[in-house]
Amino acid sequence: MLVLNTVGKTYPNGVHALERFSADIGIGEIIAIIGGSGCGKSTLLRAIAGLDRATSGTVTLDGEAITAPHPKIGIIFQEPRLLPWLSVADNIGFGLSELPPALRREKVALALARVGLTEKASAWPRELSGGQAQRVAIARALVPQPEVLLLDEPFSALDAFTRRDLQDHLLDLWADTRPTLVLVTHDVDEAVVLADRVLVMRPRPGRLFEEIKINLARPRDRQSPLFDNFKRRVLTALDRSLDRSVPDADPKSTAGEAMWW
Amino acid sequence: MTVELPALERADLVESHTPNRLRRYARPALGLLLPVGIALVWELVVWLGLSNGRLVPPPTKIFATIMELARSGELARHITATLTRVVLGFGLGVIAGTVLGAVSGYWGVARRLLDPTVQALRAIPSIAWVPLFILWLGIFETSKIALIAVGVFFPVYLGVMGAILSVDRKIVEVGRTFRLSGPAMIRRILLPAVLPAYVVSLRVGLGLGWMFVVAAEFMGASEGLGYLLIDGQQLGKPAQILAAIVIFAILGKTTDWLIEIASAPLLRWQDAFSRPGGGA
C-alpha cells in the first residue's frame, strides 16, 4: 500500500509546486495523474520515487517512509535514459549487479524476450528506435520486480501508433506481476485506457482536484461509447481544473459574462 | 539456364567486391597524394638543377641523413632521450591533471578553491616557467620533464573537469534510482560518461607534450631530437634539421595513434558523426 499523506513541495526558489496531496494507492492498482502543465505532477512523482524530498507531508510504502530511492520502487522517465556505453542486455541488467552473473543473464534474457527485443540483446542503444528504447527502459525498471512502478509521461515522445502499441504492451507486462503503477500523463486517452483511477490535478499550487474511477473491464475498447464517456468526464474535469468553461456550455453566454461590467 | 546461374552470381560478387577493396585502400592513399606529390616535385626540381637544394634539401638527402644517423646509433640515442622525456612528462602531467581535474569536477568546494588559481596559472605561457625551472631544478632532466608536465597538465585538467561537469544529470539520476553508492556511481556512470572527452584531452595533452619537449631541449641539451635541431642550425646542416622534424612527425603521429587504438574498444558505443564506417 502506497500512502501519500498531505505531500507538499516548495522549491528553494520559492515556487510552491505541490500542496497537501493525499491519496491511498492499493497494491496492483493503476493510477493515472493528469493535469495541465505546472500542476506538480512530476514533482509528486519524484517525491514518491525518493529523488526529491517533499517539504511537508510523507510518502510511505507498506509503512516505510520514502526519503530516498527505494528498491521496491522503480521509475520510467519520459526519455528512455539508457546508458549509451552499455549494450541493450547490460542496460536491462543494470539494476541487478548484486545477483550472480548466471542468474542475472537468465533474468535479462527473460525480460528481453518479454519485451520482444531478444535479437537486439547485444545492440547499442543508439541503434534502437524510440519505441524500442522505451521498451528497454520499461524492461530495465521491471526486471528487479518493483512493487511500485512510476511512469513520468513515458510515451509522450513517441508517435501515436507506437504509443498505443506500448500502452497495450505495458498492460500486458503489468499483468505478469501486478505491481502498483502510478502514471503521470497529459494524454486523456492514455489515462482512460490504462488506469483504475484518474487523479486530476489543478495548478498553482499543484493539488488534487478530482478523482475519477474508471469502471471498465480490461482490455478496454477505445472505440466504445462507455470509453468515450469516461474520456469526456476526464476532459471536463481537466477543463474545470484550469478554470476554463466546460465544453458543452454556450460560448456566447460566457463571453457575455466576462464583459458584464 | 541452371549452368549459367553460378557464373552470373560470380560476376555479381566480383563487381560488389572490387569497389569495396578500392575504397579501403584508395581512401588513405588519397591523404598521401599531396605530401608525396610535393616531395616528388621538389626532388625533380633539384635533380634537374633548377635549385641547388642547399637550404631545402631534397627528400633523398633527408632520407640519407636519417639512415646515416641510424647507422651510427646516434638516432636511437636521440630518440630514446626525447621519448623518455615525453613519456615521463606526459605521465606526470596526466596524473596531476586527472587527479586535480576529477577533484574539482566532482567536488564543488574544491572547484571554488582550486579552479581560479589553476586558471590563473594557465594564463601564463608555459615557456615563461623555463628560467625558474632551471633555477629550481637545474639544467638537466628534471627541469625539462617539469616543463613538459606543465604543458600536458592544463588540457588534461580542463578536459577532465569539463567532462565531469557536463555529465548528463538525467543519466546520473538513473544511477540514483538504482541506489548506486558513491564509488559505484563513479565507476558505472561517471567514468564511462567522461571517457570520450578524457581521450580527447589526452591527445591534446600529448600534442602539447611534443611541443614542449622541443622547447625543453632548446634550453641546453646534449642529446635528443631538439638538440639535433639546434645542432643542425648551428652547424648549417638543414638536412639534419629536416630529418629531426620528419622523425618528430612520425613519433607524434604514432603516439597519438596509440592512444586512439587503445581507447577505440572502449568508445565503440559512441553515436558520433565520424564513426568509422559511418561515412563522412
Side-chain angles (χ1 to χ4, degrees):
Chain A
M1 181 99 153
L2 182 65
V3 180
L4 313 178
N5 183 23
T6 61
V7 177
K9 174 84 184 176
T10 308
Y11 283 104
N13 60 7
V15 174
H16 195 170
L18 189 65
E19 188 176 79
R20 300 181 65 79
F21 190 103
S22 294
D24 292 354
I25 300 170
I27 295 166
E29 216 182 345
I30 304 181
I31 300 290
I33 298 171
I34 198 165
S37 54
C39 69
K41 307 182 296 251
S42 293
T43 306
L44 178 66
L45 207 70
R46 293 177 63 85
I48 303 174
L51 286 171
D52 289 338
R53 194 88 67 90
T55 39
S56 67
T58 52
V59 178
T60 52
L61 176 65
D62 303 332
E64 192 183 340
I66 303 295
T67 51
H70 191 277
K72 286 184 186 169
I73 301 178
I75 184 163
I76 296 169
F77 299 97
Q78 185 172 357
E79 327 79 22
R81 301 198 186 179
L82 302 181
L83 305 176
W85 52 84
L86 294 180
S87 69
V88 166
D90 289 342
N91 262 291
I92 293 179
F94 188 77
L96 302 176
S97 52
E98 280 113 61
L99 295 183
L103 185 60
R104 182 170 62 222
R105 263 196 300 278
E106 189 187 322
K107 285 195 167 212
V108 168
L110 220 65
L112 270 169
R114 202 66 191 80
V115 293
L117 289 171
T118 302
E119 76 281 11
K120 294 276 183 191
S122 53
W124 298 113
R126 66 172 142 85
E127 294 162 330
L128 302 177
S129 69
Q132 288 172 334
Q134 198 58 304
R135 257 147 70 191
V136 173
I138 293 173
R140 178 176 66 184
L142 279 175
V143 87
Q145 295 188 329
E147 272 179 33
V148 177
L149 184 61
L150 310 170
L151 302 104
D152 189 0
E153 305 192 10
F155 310 131
S156 61
L158 304 172
D159 62 272
F161 182 77
T162 312
R163 192 184 310 157
R164 281 177 77 150
D165 196 43
L166 277 185
Q167 285 162 358
D168 294 340
H169 199 77
L170 178 69
L171 277 179
D172 203 33
L173 292 171
W174 168 79
D176 289 351
T177 54
R178 299 212 163 218
T180 306
L181 296 190
V182 181
L183 167 90
V184 161
T185 182
H186 54 231
D187 179 350
V188 175
D189 231 71
E190 183 167 286
V192 176
V193 113
L194 295 174
D196 298 311
R197 273 193 287 160
V198 177
L199 307 182
V200 180
M201 292 181 71
R202 63 175 303 176
R204 276 173 296 276
R207 65 214 121 127
L208 183 58
F209 180 69
E210 196 173 319
E211 178 184 321
I212 298 162
K213 274 201 159 61
I214 312 283
N215 296 315
L216 274 176
R218 296 196 178 89
R220 291 172 180 169
D221 177 6
R222 290 167 213 248
Q223 256 70 52
S224 76
L226 259 172
F227 188 90
D228 247 17
N229 194 24
F230 277 113
K231 245 173 83 178
R232 198 160 312 120
R233 275 183 60 190
V234 174
L235 269 172
T236 317
L238 260 177
D239 275 327
R240 276 189 287 120
S241 80
L242 298 170
D243 292 326
R244 272 195 223 133
S245 59
V246 272
D248 45 0
D250 186 0
K252 264 184 209 156
S253 70
T254 44
E257 253 169 12
M259 302 224 300
W260 65 270
W261 46 273
Chain B
M1 285 294 273
T2 43
V3 187
E4 271 172 304
L5 255 169
L8 269 173
E9 273 177 359
R10 219 176 303 131
D12 250 23
L13 275 176
V14 169
E15 219 170 37
S16 67
H17 269 222
T18 332
N20 260 342
R21 197 176 305 158
L22 201 74
R23 212 176 299 144
R24 228 173 114 190
Y25 296 110
R27 273 197 185 167
L30 208 61
L32 286 174
L33 204 63
L34 196 63
V36 169
I38 291 173
L40 280 178
V41 167
W42 187 244
E43 189 71 50
L44 204 67
V45 166
V46 176
W47 185 70
L48 290 173
L50 297 174
S51 161
N52 61 14
R54 209 178 58 78
L55 282 178
V56 186
T60 43
K61 182 112 185 285
I62 299 169
F63 186 71
T65 311
I66 294 177
M67 290 318 286
E68 195 184 309
L69 283 167
R71 248 197 311 276
S72 65
E74 288 265 295
L75 190 63
R77 185 167 66 90
H78 293 306
I79 288 180
T80 312
T82 298
L83 213 53
T84 311
R85 289 169 189 143
V86 171
V87 166
L88 288 176
F90 179 70
L92 286 174
V94 164
I95 291 169
T98 307
V99 170
L100 289 183
V103 165
S104 54
Y106 192 68
W107 196 25
V109 179
R111 181 167 61 255
R112 277 182 286 278
L113 189 77
L114 205 67
D115 194 51
T117 310
V118 174
Q119 297 294 349
L121 289 174
R122 191 170 74 95
I124 302 167
S126 299
I127 307 290
W129 292 108
V130 168
L132 206 56
F133 281 173
I134 292 179
L135 276 183
W136 284 349
L137 305 168
I139 191 84
F140 299 111
E141 293 305 300
T142 322
S143 58
K144 294 183 175 59
I145 290 166
L147 179 67
I148 297 165
V150 165
V152 173
F153 169 81
F154 289 106
V156 174
Y157 168 85
L158 277 185
V160 171
M161 187 182 71
I164 292 178
L165 287 178
S166 63
V167 170
D168 190 355
R169 182 189 58 79
K170 292 177 171 176
I171 294 278
V172 176
E173 215 158 59
V174 170
R176 282 186 61 205
T177 61
F178 285 106
R179 300 168 310 286
L180 297 187
S181 62
M185 186 73 102
I186 290 172
R187 186 172 56 83
R188 299 183 66 191
I189 304 272
L190 289 181
L191 278 186
V194 155
L195 200 61
Y198 186 52
V199 169
V200 171
S201 71
L202 285 186
R203 292 173 69 176
V204 173
L206 185 66
L208 283 175
W210 281 108
M211 200 168 120
F212 284 116
V213 79
V214 177
E217 286 175 347
F218 277 1
M219 60 191 201
S222 55
E223 55 180 7
L225 292 169
Y227 163 78
L228 276 187
L229 293 173
I230 291 286
D231 187 60
Q233 179 217 329
Q234 284 169 349
L235 301 180
K237 294 190 281 190
Q240 183 181 315
I241 296 177
L242 281 167
I245 287 175
V246 166
I247 291 164
F248 265 125
I250 293 170
L251 287 177
K253 183 70 197 158
T254 310
T255 45
D256 183 63
W257 177 72
L258 284 177
I259 295 183
E260 201 183 332
I261 56 167
S263 62
L266 298 170
L267 297 178
R268 271 182 309 141
W269 53 271
Q270 267 193 302
D271 193 4
F273 172 63
S274 59
R275 214 162 9 94

